[in-house]
Amino acid sequence: MIVELQEEKLKESRLISTTIDTSGKLRIVNGFRLKLIRLRIKLTLLKVIVKCYRNPVDWIQALRYLIQLRRRFLGNNKVRKMAHINGKYHIGIYTPGWKSKIYEQFIASQLNDFKQITNLKVNRFNNIFFAITKKCALQCEHCFEWDNLNKKEVLETSELQAIVQRIQDKGVSQIHLSGGEPLIKMDALVKILKGADKSSEFWVVTSGFKLNDTNAKRLKEAGLTGAVISLDHFIPELHNKFRHFNDAYYWVEEAGKNANNNDIITALSLCATKDFISEDNLMSYMTLAKELKVSFVQILEPKAVGHYANKDIFLNNEHIDVLEQFFRKMNFTKEYSTYPIIVYHGYYQRRLGCFSGGKKGMYIDTDGDMTACPFCHKKMGNVLNSNFDKSLEILTSEGCNSYSLNGM
């Protein structure tokens, strides 16, 4: 009976999806064009290496280091696609777009792990997640900020801006602004973007709520790079149920359409629960993602924090095997080279460890306090405090408890 209901709802969802505006440009690059882009990216890498080091021996070793780093992430798999938006080429949500100074600065920061760069400033962080509000109209099943949701705000807009500035002073490739629902504080969000230095990309992590065309235009003009939009089921009613909000699916469709129409990079974010994980469900989700013309799909594994605290939500090895096989199939086989690119943190973290926890990133909550990541709630000091540097040292030394490999 459950299977029949799912099939019926899937048919209905496909009928609904035919109303989606699919007139936007195809943003996935593959085939021969991708080969040319990859060649040009290699030339950029060589340019950055020569800029960072004077010794030709270092040039060779640095190039080998980048090749080895790539293999640690991808193994022997070849990248089959990239996303092309605003004249830049993107391989993932958390790597800046190529053909930009931010990308070159990102590469220099990775090279600094190989051998310290002394003639250039390098970024301290790759990615920072910063929750700018406790407010949210939804009550999502997996909300990691559940205990703080809709409580009184602590930080003024000027303090939010000061936190961004302090992080940018350290050097950061990307800042992902979240909540709560960040679009509820639209004016503050625009002020943050307009006041920030242009040395970082900015993304917004959203349910899609209130990402109408007017707000999408404002965000793009203020300097927003991309939007990560949460969608936890391809069947509208089941996504709405997961989010406890009757219009949740509608706002995902609206957000995707309006972001695309304003050249904001779009990604869907899926919390892959045990009940959801199957080859058929994942394929239906990716088919919908392709129809919505998003560039990326992010897969998150449920964590026992916030609303999921003390609940039996962790995936077993069979679930993880399904996700990993699907990830490899969609990203590294020619058959699916026109589909959105999957970003699956668990796949990399199990092999490389966690790069958050102060190493290459961290989470800043709605009080300005630092934690290892959105799912690790042990506070390690406040960004605005005078002992910020010392607190960051402690956070980095403790690292990530879940993925403790030396290396999300």
Side-chain angles (χ1 to χ4, degrees), residues 29-49 63 66-67 70 78-79 82 89 91 98-99 103:
V29 176
N30 51 40
F32 182 71
R33 182 181 175 188
L34 177 61
K35 292 181 180 179
L36 292 178
I37 297 304
R38 286 166 58 184
L39 177 60
R40 293 175 65 189
I41 290 175
K42 289 178 182 177
L43 294 176
T44 298
L45 297 181
L46 289 172
K47 182 183 79 171
V48 174
I49 288 171
L63 185 59
L66 291 178
I67 293 171
R70 176 199 172 280
K78 289 185 178 180
V79 174
M82 290 184 186
Y89 294 83
I91 194 172
W98 171 70
K99 269 206 319 187
Y103 176 84

Side-chain angles (χ1 to χ4, degrees), residues 138-140 142 207 230 232 239-245 248:
L138 286 67
Q139 294 183 321
C140 306
H142 67 327
S207 65
S230 296
D232 296 297
H239 175 69
N240 293 343
K241 181 180 178 182
F242 189 87
R243 296 273 160 173
H244 291 265
F245 191 72

Side-chain angles (χ1 to χ4, degrees), residues 4-240:
E4 292 175 354
L5 177 62
Q6 289 249 347
E7 289 178 350
E8 182 180 344
K9 293 299 184 184
L10 176 57
K11 290 178 182 178
E12 291 177 4
S13 71
R14 287 291 173 264
L15 290 173
I16 291 172
S17 70
T18 60
T19 66
I20 298 170
D21 179 6
T22 58
S23 60
K25 297 178 182 178
L26 182 63
R27 301 175 185 272
I28 300 298
V29 176
N30 51 40
F32 182 71
R33 182 181 175 188
L34 177 61
K35 292 181 180 179
L36 292 178
I37 297 304
R38 286 166 58 184
L39 177 60
R40 293 175 65 189
I41 290 175
K42 289 178 182 177
L43 294 176
T44 298
L45 297 181
L46 289 172
K47 182 183 79 171
V48 174
I49 288 171
V50 171
K51 190 176 180 180
C52 291
Y53 306 111
R54 296 178 181 177
N55 189 335
V57 175
D58 288 336
W59 300 348
I60 297 171
Q61 292 178 346
L63 185 59
R64 286 176 179 170
Y65 172 80
L66 291 178
I67 293 171
Q68 290 170 357
L69 188 64
R70 176 199 172 280
R71 286 176 178 167
R72 288 178 66 197
F73 274 93
L74 301 179
N76 294 320
N77 298 303
K78 289 185 178 180
V79 174
R80 294 275 182 184
K81 49 196 171 185
M82 290 184 186
H84 181 222
I85 302 130
N86 296 323
K88 299 182 180 65
Y89 294 83
H90 299 258
I91 194 172
I93 300 172
Y94 300 102
T95 300
W98 171 70
K99 269 206 319 187
S100 69
K101 291 182 179 179
I102 298 177
Y103 176 84
E104 294 183 14
Q105 186 74 11
F106 172 83
I107 294 300
S109 299
Q110 310 318 302
L111 289 170
N112 193 57
D113 295 333
F114 153 70
K115 182 176 181 180
Q116 185 176 8
I117 297 169
T118 58
N119 61 329
L120 296 171
K121 180 186 175 183
V122 296
N123 288 344
R124 172 65 177 79
F125 302 106
N126 288 347
N127 317 102
I128 294 292
F129 292 87
F130 179 24
I132 66 169
T133 180
K134 304 176 191 291
K135 304 302 180 185
C136 188
L138 286 67
Q139 294 183 321
C140 306
E141 290 289 330
H142 67 327
C143 179
F144 58 83
E145 281 284 12
W146 185 260
D147 295 334
N148 298 316
L149 216 58
N150 293 316
K151 290 185 177 179
K152 185 179 178 180
E153 302 282 25
V154 172
L155 300 174
E156 301 289 341
T157 300
S158 60
E159 292 172 305
L160 298 175
Q161 291 179 290
I163 288 173
V164 169
Q165 181 178 342
R166 196 154 201 187
I167 293 300
Q168 286 195 301
D169 288 344
K170 290 286 184 185
V172 57
S173 298
Q174 292 182 329
I175 297 178
H176 293 247
L177 302 170
S178 66
E181 172 49 66
L183 269 76
I184 286 179
K185 295 192 72 170
M186 187 65 192
D187 290 341
L189 190 54
V190 169
K191 284 184 179 180
I192 290 169
L193 293 171
K194 285 186 174 180
D197 188 85
K198 303 308 177 186
S199 59
S200 309
E201 287 185 353
F202 281 85
W203 289 65
V204 66
V205 182
T206 176
S207 65
F209 184 66
K210 299 298 183 183
L211 189 49
N212 54 38
D213 187 64
T214 299
N215 285 339
K217 280 185 171 64
R218 289 183 67 194
L219 291 170
K220 179 64 179 179
E221 290 171 358
L224 187 70
T225 297
V228 180
I229 307 163
S230 296
L231 177 66
D232 296 297
H233 211 291
F234 53 88
I235 297 175
E237 292 84 355
L238 295 182
H239 175 69
N240 293 343

